[in-house]
Amino acid sequence: MDAANTWSSLAFVAAGLWIVARRRRPGDGAEAPSAARTRVALGILAVGIGLGSVVQHGPAPAWNPVVHDPPLLGAYALVAADAVADLTGRRLRTWWWLVPTLADAVLAAVSPAASIVAQGTASVVAVVAILLRAVARPVLRPRLLTALVVLGVGALIGFVEPWGHVAWHVLAAAAIVVVAPAVGRRGTG
């Protein structure tokens, strides 16, 4: 099963490359350079999630949490920070998501268990921020809710099925692709 988990991790790499390639599509609200940069950051984090997961499920060195955990926490932090920026009418600041990501790299090196708790906390914050954004932005609601449902189904399968982690990788990567066009959009009712 470790081989399947390793290979399925590449779904994140594919998702990240897809997001970077499609970062600025006419009519999707990404005409602003800042939106494209935010999407590129999300795409890079997705690639990092995939590569870190390959390391974790493949060779699994003792230091694997340092490459596995921060991009995952970073993706949660970026999506949450982007939602908060949109909801408050403020400009997204890179440090809002980058500082927690870098802090998690240190945390993962010192206490992998604490890094897992931090990831869980970041995921809850991201889900709440996305739900609040879905309520406030009807035009984004279908995309945001679809991303959450796909992510939730992946998490559920991941807990109950023997091959669930493979499904989790694929569905979580799909959720990142689904949410990406909403990232960077501002003030759309």
Side-chain angles (χ1 to χ4, degrees), residues 4-25:
N5 286 333
T6 302
W7 283 104
S8 66
S9 299
L10 296 175
F12 289 107
V13 175
L17 295 175
W18 176 263
I19 292 165
V20 170
R22 297 179 55 90
R23 68 190 169 275
R24 190 180 297 189
R25 305 292 295 177

Side-chain angles (χ1 to χ4, degrees), residues 5 7-8 11 15 21 29 32 41 59-60 71-72 88 119 128 131-132 144 149 176 181 186-188:
N5 286 333
W7 283 104
S8 66
L72 184 55
T88 61
Q119 290 171 63
V128 169
L131 285 171
L132 291 172
L144 297 173
V149 167
I176 293 171
R186 294 290 174 263
T188 49

Side-chain angles (χ1 to χ4, degrees), residues 76 80 120-130:
Y76 290 136
T121 303
S123 71
V124 170
V125 170
V127 166
V128 169
I130 290 169

Side-chain angles (χ1 to χ4, degrees), residues 23 30 56 69 126 138:
R23 68 190 169 275
Q56 182 183 53
D69 297 0

Side-chain angles (χ1 to χ4, degrees), residues 10 12 17 26-27 34 36 40 51 68-69 73 82 84-85 115 160 170 182 189:
L10 296 175
F12 289 107
L17 295 175
S34 63
V40 166
L51 297 177
H68 175 269
D69 297 0
L73 185 137
D82 184 64
V84 169
S115 177
V160 298
V170 173

